[in-house]
Amino acid sequence: MNKLCLLGLVVSLASQSAYADTSAAPLQDKQAFIANLIKQMTLDEKIGQLRLISIGPEMPREMIRKEIAAGRIGGTFNSITRAENRPMQDAAAKSRLKIPMFFAYDVIHGHRTIFPISLGLAASWDMDAIAKVGRVSALEAASDGIDMTFAPMVDIARDPRWGRTSEGFGEDTYLVSRISKVMVESFQGQSPAAPTSLMAAVKHFALYGAVEGGRDYNTVDMSPTKMFNDYLPPYRAAIDAGAGGVMVALNSINGVPATSNTWLMNDLLRKDWGFKGVTVSDHGAITELVRHGVARDGREAAKLAIKAGIDLSMNDSLYGEELASLLKAGEVDQADIDNAVREVLGAKYDMGLFEDPYRRIGKASDDPADTYADSRLHRAEARDVARRSLVLLENRKQTLPLKKAGTIALVGPLADAPIDMMGSWAAAGRPHQSITVREGMRQVLGDKAKVIYAKGSNVTHDKAILDYLNFLNFDAPEIVDDPRPAAVLIDEAVKAAKQSDVVVAVVGESRGMSHESSSRTTLEIPAAQRELIKALKATGKPLVLVLMNGRPLSLAWEREQADAILETWFSGTEGGNAIADVLFGDYNPSGKLAITFPRSVGQIPMYYNHLSIGRPFTPGKPGNYTSQYFEEPNGPLYPFGYGLSYSDFSLSNLSLSSKTVKQGQDLDASIVVKNTGKRDGETVVQLYLQDVTASMSRPIKELKNFHKVMLKAGEERTLHFTIKADDLKFYNGQLQWAAEPGEFRVQVGLDSQAVQQQSFELL
Ligand code: BGC
């Protein structure tokens, strides 16, 4: 559609949308407009606005349209085309007050074009690339008639047993907060009202990533200082960036479920942080208050939720069933209901829907002839971002990049698995449109080298796990299991290896293994695949492991087997091409881990910025009473911020503009970075701070800034970091955000472990 045509559409549709009596309050004045509308609403219509339903097999479409026309539904999620959403908006136009519907969806890492999973996006440390993901996702989803996304998901994750680790941006408060802001700004564009924007509903408020034992939906118990210093800032960053919505977490926080948590939603979110948007409960969360043991029955659950500040109730019938009688009995005030309605209408207003309910749905004659057409995808953007998300973990004897010549054995259950390329929460992505590693190699190599493919093993031997993973997908089995005996599969792969110059094995997790409700007790690659790796190693051929997974894995054994390891996460629609670009050196890898890779599951939780302790590990005699496990070394296998390149980079001359700084003043830290390798490449120079002595134990280091820089072979550059007065502050025991005088260490490195250090004094 051209611009003129679009303008015409907006004008004509806007003039069609008349709301009952708007004479008292023009559309331009948001507060007055909404107050006037609320005045005209019946109680049923108000309660209807608070109802958010999922489009699925549970309720026939016709019944949904009837409910909408009767004013009993405020919004829906999970419908993903204009043609699906238009009749629902038409039904709203027939309702008494013509209040428009809104349509939401989980657009997490792409809509039709799937980008790498969030944990992979974070590994790019590239804010421009991440902004591109937000923008493309918004464009694609908005042009499918969607108004709101349940994203970004910014739960800090420090326990990789949690399956939703894949959905977030890792363990670090600063990095996740930066990304949170960029995601909100890029989803919402200039305004969430723009026809090409989505309103962002940040989730899951709050602390969902800290579920005990990494088991999904479990409880969260956390000290206030940890909450305020480490876990809350990413949500705050989204709010400060203007996120229009907040999705409330399923977990309890220190015994009080988030869904009934007045402190969380009223005191913190609305009063302290000044949030003015809409809150949404997570799926069925109001009903779950009974099982949490804080509500006797559904009636009490509805009362607790509305009193605590839940505006929209997601797939939960309790508001509809209980609010009217709670109001009559005086247990809920009219103001409780009106406040929630005001936020819902306010969000619709901010999405531009009162001005034009068809803003993102458009006219039927403009609908795409083929919703799934490849031309609707943004493949170039997806390939570019995916390349930036890959992390080179090992590269002995310069095994990589591979030559585009000779014979290559490509093996592994994930080498040709389209659905797994997309990862979990793949929105409207279609597996047949994703490029697997096999296909990517074919495209990048052409006929320059011969590739012999063999599956080599299934994802797992474990039938119960297979059934579990296949149950996750409603449409088709997630995992196609090869019925041949394991030994036959391995023999075929070994035969391929023996005929080849090098072996590339694509192994790890199927996407369902890193998913909602997919918590694990081990971080190992399943045994079936480890047997394959062992057999491949025995051939003596150079072995490259291409890993696909949505959480850190424990790779101590794999590291001994492989000559090179490339971490590729679930890399999206163009993942296979991006991986081939890196394997064959058309792109020099630049990703850095956004989460620590422990040696074993027993070390969890393991994160780089832990507090100082009284007996830090010091190597020495056994049993020296310092903090350690006696079966394996302390420390991670791969630290936060780590990742190799085909170039080498060196850091030198860390210097500070002053040895002392006054409260409120900034300081400059500079360092020289040099590309000492033979190829041009990018690296991430990371700045950490340590507050050495304070009123409380402080982290041994905390990321405060970074620069991603491109350097030509041999090039050297001086980088400057401004250490701002706020970078020295933290929430102390009284939850005051303040900087305390004393020594600070500045540490700069290419990962969180190998750093250069200087000190200064805050006066
Ligand atoms: C998830 C949310 C998601 C919602 C709607 C829930 O199960 O926890 O993250 O937004 O479903 O799909």
Side-chain angles (χ1 to χ4, degrees), residues 119 133 178 181 196 259 268 291 331 340 410 423 439 454 456 473 475 492 513 529 657 739:
L119 194 59
V133 175
R178 287 269 305 257
K181 176 179 187 313
T196 52
T259 307
L268 183 69
R291 289 196 292 269
E331 291 186 55
L410 175 65
E439 175 60 16
N473 198 344
D475 307 329
E492 193 181 50
M513 292 171 76
Q529 300 179 60
S657 56

Side-chain angles (χ1 to χ4, degrees), residues 77-78 106 150 164 167 203-204 208 247 250 282-283 314 425 516:
F77 62 108
N78 284 344
D106 290 281
F150 300 138
R164 303 192 82 167
E167 231 184 291
K203 69 190 184 187
H204 303 84
Y208 185 21
M247 184 185 290
L250 292 162
D282 201 345
H283 209 278
M314 181 193 286
W425 293 104
E516 180 176 351

Side-chain angles (χ1 to χ4, degrees), residues 558-576:
E558 286 76 2
R559 182 161 77 158
E560 299 311 315
Q561 316 305 308
D563 296 288
I565 305 181
L566 182 67
E567 173 58 71
T568 72
W569 319 109
F570 298 109
S571 50
T573 306
E574 279 288 314

Side-chain angles (χ1 to χ4, degrees), residues 108 117-131 133-134 151-154 167-187 202 233-234 237-238 241 592 594 640 703 706:
I108 309 287
I117 55 165
S118 302
L119 194 59
L121 295 178
S124 74
W125 295 57
D126 185 327
M127 297 304 127
D128 294 336
I130 291 171
V133 175
M153 188 286 216
V154 299
E167 231 184 291
F169 300 103
E171 75 184 36
D172 182 63
T173 310
Y174 174 79
L175 184 59
V176 179
S177 300
R178 287 269 305 257
I179 297 174
S180 176
K181 176 179 187 313
V182 169
M183 274 308 230
V184 169
E185 287 173 353
S186 54
F187 280 137
V202 61
K592 300 272 188 179
F640 174 82
L703 184 71
F706 59 87

Side-chain angles (χ1 to χ4, degrees), residues 320-495:
E321 285 158 16
E322 306 292 351
L323 282 184
S325 99
L326 282 165
L327 179 70
K328 200 161 165 213
E331 291 186 55
V332 155
D333 301 325
Q334 187 64 55
D336 297 326
I337 297 176
D338 285 359
N339 285 341
V341 174
R342 187 174 311 110
E343 306 310 355
V344 173
L345 298 181
K348 291 184 175 184
Y349 185 100
D350 292 342
M351 289 184 270
L353 293 168
F354 283 109
E355 198 186 322
D356 175 11
Y358 296 87
R359 202 171 202 82
R360 300 181 184 86
I361 294 173
K363 283 192 295 191
S365 54
D366 293 327
D367 285 357
D370 174 8
T371 308
Y372 303 105
D374 215 80
S375 57
R376 300 189 77 213
L377 302 183
H378 291 79
R379 288 193 176 274
E381 290 84 347
R383 185 169 181 163
D384 175 57
V385 175
R387 296 187 332 174
R388 292 167 191 277
S389 74
L390 309 182
V391 183
L392 184 62
L393 296 177
E394 297 288 344
N395 196 14
R396 298 200 187 92
K397 295 178 270 173
Q398 296 188 323
T399 304
L400 293 178
L402 301 176
K403 287 190 201 70
K404 290 182 185 170
T407 306
I408 300 163
L410 175 65
V411 299
L414 300 168
D416 200 18
I419 201 165
D420 295 302
M421 296 313 295
M422 302 195 304
S424 69
W425 293 104
R430 286 293 173 269
H432 74 269
Q433 290 178 315
S434 57
I435 305 285
T436 65
V437 180
R438 186 181 185 189
E439 175 60 16
M441 275 199 180
R442 200 187 62 75
Q443 291 196 15
V444 166
L445 285 174
D447 54 11
K448 293 199 183 98
K450 184 173 168 201
V451 175
I452 309 177
Y453 167 76
K455 184 163 180 177
S457 82
N458 281 312
V459 168
T460 173
H461 292 315
D462 191 322
K463 174 84 174 64
I465 292 178
L466 193 66
D467 288 347
Y468 182 79
L469 297 171
N470 279 334
F471 164 79
L472 280 171
N473 198 344
F474 306 114
D475 307 329
E478 280 268 320
I479 299 177
V480 184
D481 205 50
D482 193 316
R484 291 176 289 167
V488 173
L489 290 171
I490 288 186
D491 283 352
E492 193 181 50
V494 165
K495 199 168 147 218

Side-chain angles (χ1 to χ4, degrees), residues 42-340:
T42 63
L43 180 61
D44 273 0
E45 284 165 343
K46 289 180 181 175
I47 295 170
Q49 282 303 308
L50 309 184
R51 183 172 171 210
L52 175 68
I53 65 158
S54 168
I55 301 295
E58 310 89 54
M59 212 199 275
R61 301 287 166 116
E62 201 187 315
M63 188 189 298
I64 293 174
R65 287 198 293 275
K66 269 198 193 141
E67 289 286 284
I68 295 172
R72 282 198 288 265
I73 298 179
T76 70
F77 62 108
N78 284 344
S79 54
I80 51 170
T81 60
R82 293 149 59 122
E84 283 175 285
N85 292 344
R86 187 174 298 107
M88 292 195 270
Q89 199 61 288
D90 291 346
K94 290 189 197 125
S95 67
R96 193 178 72 90
L97 292 173
K98 301 179 172 40
I99 297 175
M101 289 284 293
F102 79 92
F103 305 100
Y105 195 40
D106 290 281
V107 180
I108 309 287
H109 55 109
H111 176 61
R112 295 209 174 268
T113 308
I114 301 305
F115 291 91
I117 55 165
S118 302
L119 194 59
L121 295 178
S124 74
W125 295 57
D126 185 327
M127 297 304 127
D128 294 336
I130 291 171
K132 199 183 285 180
V133 175
R135 223 36 323 267
V136 167
S137 305
L139 274 172
E140 289 187 357
S143 71
D144 274 344
I146 290 162
D147 307 299
M148 179 191 274
T149 173
F150 300 138
M153 188 286 216
V154 299
D155 304 325
I156 295 286
R158 295 178 175 178
D159 187 333
R161 289 173 294 185
W162 191 47
R164 303 192 82 167
T165 299
S166 57
E167 231 184 291
F169 300 103
E171 75 184 36
D172 182 63
T173 310
Y174 174 79
L175 184 59
V176 179
S177 300
R178 287 269 305 257
I179 297 174
S180 176
K181 176 179 187 313
V182 169
M183 274 308 230
V184 169
E185 287 173 353
S186 54
F187 280 137
Q188 297 195 160
Q190 293 208 317
S191 147
T196 52
S197 291
L198 297 179
M199 176 173 276
V202 61
K203 69 190 184 187
H204 303 84
F205 191 61
L207 322 183
Y208 185 21
V211 284
E212 223 169 65
R215 189 157 45 76
D216 211 358
Y217 319 123
N218 208 354
T219 54
V220 173
D221 209 273
M222 192 182 285
S223 73
T225 46
K226 186 174 237 180
M227 230 186 252
F228 277 81
N229 284 312
D230 297 354
Y231 279 76
L232 291 174
Y235 309 106
R236 176 79 193 262
I239 305 304
D240 290 348
V246 167
M247 184 185 290
V248 178
L250 292 162
N251 52 280
S252 61
I253 297 172
N254 298 341
V256 182
T259 307
S260 62
N261 202 317
T262 310
W263 167 76
L264 186 72
M265 284 179 282
N266 279 331
D267 299 340
L268 183 69
L269 180 67
R270 294 204 185 271
K271 290 197 191 123
D272 291 355
W273 293 2
F275 177 65
K276 301 255 183 303
V278 71
T279 57
V280 190
S281 63
D282 201 345
H283 209 278
I286 302 180
T287 306
E288 289 174 18
L289 291 176
V290 177
R291 289 196 292 269
H292 273 290
V294 298
R296 265 186 313 274
D297 50 24
R299 181 179 168 83
E300 195 177 9
K303 174 177 157 182
L304 288 176
I306 194 96
K307 287 261 173 212
I310 295 280
D311 303 328
L312 275 163
S313 123
M314 181 193 286
N315 248 36
D316 211 310
S317 53
L318 289 177
Y319 274 6
E321 285 158 16
E322 306 292 351
L323 282 184
S325 99
L326 282 165
L327 179 70
K328 200 161 165 213
E331 291 186 55
V332 155
D333 301 325
Q334 187 64 55
D336 297 326
I337 297 176
D338 285 359
N339 285 341

